[in-house]
Amino acid sequence: MYMRRQVDLFSLQIPAKEDQRGYPVADMEPVTQTGKLVHITVTDGYDLKGFKGDSPVTFIRAEFNQVVLGDSSKIMVSPEGTAKYNFTSSFEYSLEGGVTLDDIAHKPAFLTVTEVLPKEKKQKEEKTSILGQAVVDLLPLLEGESSFEISVPLHPVQGSPLETPRPGVKQCSLDVKVSVAEPLLTSAQVLGGNLLKVTLEAAYSVPESFIPAGPQQNYMVGMQVPSVGEKDYTILFKNGNLKVGGEKEPVPRPKKWPIANILALGANNIPDEFIVGGPYEEEEGELNHPEDREFRNQAECMKKRIVWDLESRCYLDPSAVVSFQKRIADCRFWPVEITRVPLVAVPKGKAAKIEKTEEETPLSFHGVAYVNMVPLLYPGVKRIRGAFHVYPYIDSAVFEKTKCLLSLFRDTGHHNMIHNNKGGINSPLSKTVAKNVKEDKTVKEKDIDGKPRPTDMQAPSIRSQSSDTPLEGEAPVTHNPEGQQYLEAGTYIVLEIELDKALVPKRMPEELAERVKEMIPPRPPLTRRRGGAQKAVSDYHLQIKNISKAILDEYHRMFGKQVAKLEHDIDSETLEEQKCQLNYELNCSGKYFAFKEQLKHAVVKIVREKYLRTASFESQEELQTFISELYVFLVDQMHVALNQAMPDDIQGPIPTIQSTSEQLRLFAFEAEVNENYGMASVYYEERLVREPHNLEHWLDYGAFCLLIEDNIKAQECFRKALSLNESHINSLLLCGVLAVLLENYEQAEIFFEDATCLEPTNVIAWTLLGLYYEIQNNDIRMEMAFHEAFKQLQARALQTPATKQKSTGTVSGIMENVEEKGKMESSVGPWGTGNNTNNESSSTAVKAEASAGRSGDGGRRFSPASSMERSFFFHQYSLGPAATLSVLDAFVEESSKLQSESREPITIKQSLDPIIGPNTSNMVLKDSTLNKKEASKCQDSLAFLHPPPSSVSPAHATIFMETIRFLMKVNAVQYVHRVLAHELLCPQGGPSCEYYLVLAQTHLLKKDFAKTEECLQQAEHMDYLNPNVWGLKGHLYFLSGNHAEAKACYERTVSFVVDATEMHFIFLRLGLIYLEEKEYEKAKKTYMQACKRSPSCLTWLGVGIACYRLEELTEAEDALSEANALNNYNAEVWAYLALVCLKAGRQLEAEQAYKYTLKLKLRDEILLAEIHTVQEMVGFGNPSF
């Protein structure tokens, strides 16, 4: 039964008198000036019934905080089951002591309905029997409300007649009103305060030595929460229920009050609070990785567990919220202790029952879990829930991770906590108030054994957390054999910590969108002018057409019949006579004058708009000159208008081949690679002119501007794309990248945050946001962003169908990849769906090894370094901007040096598909290949760069490599080096083949051939079957002038079953080398392959040159004509067309082609000399001689 004994914590008394209405009230001391009375009024009861019938006599007893507030009058229940109680009880809340806000937060008020049984003969006192108990949650009082009404269910006690409710009724209920004269919290406290809820669900996979039989045990879990001053709130969970495995705990299941001895079973449950569980991957704990799923399923279904399902609440006032935030920032991990205390049987009189003793009981199985509280400092995060490993409580380990020197159970007296029946929280504001205690007490009370009281021990506990030196007199624990059993069994606790409001508010998506609009206002299209030179000429054309139609109508009226008779036999004399008659008729009728006036306005507009003449002429000579010029222009435009009016008599325009947007993108990319940036800019601008509202064109042009380091123009392009679609993620990300490069950090944060709000599953957006926070030295938010990116990448990997992974190793899967890449190589932009130009490699053998490593979960679950490393990683390895390049270069140099000194080459295991995905662990070192000196040297070089990875290395890409691919596609090389450094240090990443390929590309862009070669050597050692390695190596040798080595690399790349990502330029450069070495058949074949994949002017030119050298003039002309149609500004195409026409004997075409060759300024002097030689040989082709 719930404890009803009076305690000195309260100044409330059991009622001994009645008020004016006859209702019993609590007899209490005068309310203090700072005190506030909380009134609890029970108005009505519904669907009640008793042991002795349907109209019992009942009364209600109100209890709060283990104190009886009062009993109501005895009321008879009506036959319908209703009762009018109108019973009011109250208690005092005071800042000076007594009931605290924490008591109101986590302790409910209990309303017990008791039936008064009729007196029997010779019975002196009335007998009573408890019917049920209702629970009133007082939490709304801490939300700023001064009163609230609620209908609470009345939970029956065991054996009560209320267990079988009346027909048609689900459950009995009470109407309750809670009120206070003025709100308990001020508006400042409501806005600045917070409510902390801690839910302890269960401890799973507990040691086998925990058995339900034998002496009963009290399983306890506790933690401390910072408050104001030097004391902490202590949150304690007691009386865990040890269960044998066999089935999983049901979800959802209700949360329970952390209070013992509640009468009704249903009253244990907190109203509307449930444990709902959720996917492991969405948790914030330590066992939320895919490799943990099997172990957790087994532990939560088959193994022993201790179940609490308790929720404790704690109110944090504004100053405590500040202290709470500061403690999280100072100590990332908080200790949550677990222990077991035996319950001892103490005989009392004739009966004996299990009760907790007053003497200190032995502490056993003392363990600790480290809860990472940092996520609560992430913007908008209010809740963390997860599974946390339980480790043996060892002082040095606890201090290292939490900076806490004292144990909650061992050093503050766990026996006192066992006897604390006030609930789950020991509040520092709960001071003992007794009438006979003097306020000026100077000597601290001590226990019988001379130890300070637990409340006195709390102050040095908190002070020690900020001190790096242990306190004097402490005996640190260095060995804990019982706690070691937690580690051996793989024990973990599932804990949830929730706040009512986020500690760090998050910007709303609407606010971010509004800020983006402010930075990039929508630009409406400019209205077209109705005037202007073009409009003036168009009006002139229209008037000419109207006048010509009128003259023709007049001619038909005068001579139509004559013309019909003669048909086509009209001679010149007849026509001249008709002309004279027509002129006479027009002049006599006034129509000629009318036509002049009709044209006059159009001519005046041409003079003003086209020739910009609005003032009078200074001389007659200037006037005559202008009139002559104007007359010529008007006559020419008249002919243009007449030709348009009678199109049947003129030849139609020559049809032109219109290049598609994809072709223009390919031509621009060819010009980029050949460093012809002017021509590339022309192609990009041509795309924008054709489709000015296509944001992908703007993004491509912006990426080109980044390549030529024109950051201002790149920013304009990206913002223009964003103005076209404010929800386009890539545009937002690129605007953020440019803002960082231009040091507009406030704008960058808005762009990145808006991207994460619009697409919360975007890995690249979260990673770029984390990189931004790293630049701002905001380690907590950096960790938050990287953690979210990793979680999204993990979730995406789990959603990928297993069949897709299996098909990549089959012949059909490989052929499908080849066909997809062969469809259109020109889609090289970063915005299309087919633009997967990643330098990726995968290893099936290593994947198998990684999956095999996951099966051995002993090292994973029980290694403290392994489990904590993932949590510490992002915080430890944030890089400064100056350290990035030095880290990369130092690693490459050291790795190259070690490989050159090793006795045997590195053994590699590769798959058939080297471009499917990166492999972070595809370098397998044989222990026998390195001697001890070399091994130690390798360890020293990697110690500060690459922390020991967790025992499971995922085979998929890391968040940093995904971001690197995105940045490389948009030429943001300045940003790539920072991300590469993170990839090098990432536990899931490290130096991979793709890593070295990207690093080599960045050096190649800077023409640093030496460093490029070093990186490619590393990539070749790690994955010599990767075609991208050999393709990039060929580019290196080609650009450095070593065409022989380039040819060998290109030929090796082409011979692979799987193509490299950029086969277009490999074919172009290999064909060029064949032409230089006069291997024309090979050149023709190579260029034809390029034409099939992605035809361009350069590919057809190569075919044409090869056919010309093979004396295949017809095929050469066809290929060169195709090249000229794609780009008629290429001087080399005109030159070879001239050669073909010369040898074919077509003089006029040869001279035209030669003219354009000179006009476009052919730079190849050898080719020009060859043309001159052929011209002299055939005797024509050069009009100059």
Side-chain angles (χ1 to χ4, degrees), residues 420-442:
N420 174 29
N421 294 319
K422 294 183 292 183
I425 294 183
N426 296 330
S427 173
L429 301 178
S430 301
K431 299 178 182 178
T432 302
V433 179
K435 297 180 181 179
N436 58 350
V437 178
K438 296 182 180 180
E439 297 295 336
D440 56 350
K441 200 171 188 180
T442 58

Side-chain angles (χ1 to χ4, degrees), residues 79-151:
E80 293 78 16
T82 61
K84 295 284 187 180
Y85 291 106
N86 292 326
F87 162 59
T88 300
S89 59
S90 58
F91 63 88
E92 180 189 1
Y93 156 70
S94 176
L95 294 175
E96 297 179 351
V99 177
T100 66
L101 293 177
D102 293 309
D103 294 325
I104 297 175
H106 85 282
K107 296 178 182 178
F110 291 95
L111 302 173
T112 306
V113 178
T114 304
E115 179 184 3
V116 180
L117 301 176
K119 287 186 179 181
E120 297 179 0
K121 294 181 179 180
K122 298 181 181 180
Q123 181 178 338
K124 295 182 180 180
E125 296 181 357
E126 294 179 338
K127 289 186 178 181
T128 60
S129 180
I130 297 176
L131 296 177
Q133 196 172 45
V135 179
V136 181
D137 192 353
L138 304 178
L139 190 60
L141 296 179
L142 300 184
E143 297 172 352
E145 298 185 19
S146 58
S147 65
F148 65 92
E149 297 182 7
I150 188 173
S151 179

Side-chain angles (χ1 to χ4, degrees), residues 935-971:
S936 62
K937 187 185 298 183
C938 179
Q939 292 174 357
D940 294 339
S941 66
L942 298 181
F944 74 101
L945 293 173
H946 183 46
S950 57
S951 57
V952 178
S953 298
H956 53 77
T958 66
I959 60 174
F960 302 111
M961 190 54 71
E962 291 236 345
T963 307
I964 288 170
R965 295 168 192 161
F966 171 77
L967 295 174
M968 287 299 293
K969 289 176 184 177
V970 298
N971 302 318

Side-chain angles (χ1 to χ4, degrees), residues 290-291 294 847 849-857 860 951-955:
E291 59 268 22
E294 182 180 354
K847 286 181 181 178
E849 291 177 2
S851 62
R854 281 194 286 267
S855 61
D857 55 1
R860 168 183 56 77
S951 57
V952 178
S953 298

Side-chain angles (χ1 to χ4, degrees), residues 1150-1169:
E1151 290 178 354
Q1152 290 291 332
Y1154 177 68
K1155 180 181 70 174
Y1156 282 110
T1157 301
L1158 297 180
K1159 185 177 181 180
L1160 294 172
K1161 299 178 181 179
L1162 178 66
R1163 297 180 181 180
D1164 192 343
E1165 297 294 338
I1166 298 176
L1167 180 58
L1168 191 59

